[in-house]
Amino acid sequence: MGFFASDVVPLTQARANLSELADEVRAGAEKIITKNGESYVALIDAQRLDYYHRLERERIHLLLIDDARRGLDDVLAGRTQDADAAVAGLQTARSNKASAGSKAKNRRRG
């Protein structure tokens, strides 16, 4: 959906004409309210907002399904690791990195 110049309304004008703007939005328009020349908020129909929220929830569900599919592909391909072993490996790597940093710092001092 494209916007027209009449869809961009300064906040002061929106305050003065809120009822008219609400009627236009209810009829299908969307308005961008500006403050100090910058986009500030959007005025949209409540049913359209509900629709946008449903679309976002569907998108999130599709992303979760895709993540699960990729996880199952990893399991089938043997690209898995025991959780305890993975955590232990991360802790060892972190410890080694901290130890190496400490040694380098001591060399610079000495």
Side-chain angles (χ1 to χ4, degrees):
M1 173 180 189
F3 284 96
F4 299 100
S6 61
D7 294 329
V8 179
V9 183
L11 182 60
T12 53
Q13 182 182 343
R15 263 192 215 126
N17 301 309
L18 184 58
S19 182
E20 293 85 4
L21 288 174
D23 289 340
E24 290 178 37
V25 166
R26 188 74 175 146
E30 293 181 351
K31 301 292 181 176
I32 300 295
I33 310 299
T34 61
K35 185 175 182 180
N36 299 323
E38 300 280 328
S39 295
Y40 188 58
V41 296
L43 187 60
I44 63 170
D45 182 72
Q47 290 178 345
R48 187 168 296 193
L49 180 62
D50 288 341
Y51 172 71
Y52 291 160
H53 286 181
R54 284 192 310 273
L55 285 177
E56 181 61 17
R57 281 191 301 273
E58 287 178 24
R59 186 183 76 79
I60 289 168
H61 290 153
L62 290 172
L63 289 172
L64 288 171
I65 289 169
D66 189 52
D67 284 346
R69 183 194 53 76
R70 283 186 280 133
L72 290 172
D73 288 345
D74 286 343
V75 169
L76 291 173
R79 294 184 301 259
T80 60
Q81 190 177 52
D82 177 72
D84 291 334
V87 169
L90 290 171
Q91 289 172 335
T92 299
R94 184 179 300 142
S95 176
N96 290 343
K97 185 177 179 182
S99 177
S102 178
K103 288 178 185 177
K105 191 175 183 180
N106 288 336
R107 280 194 296 266
R108 285 190 298 251
R109 287 184 186 171

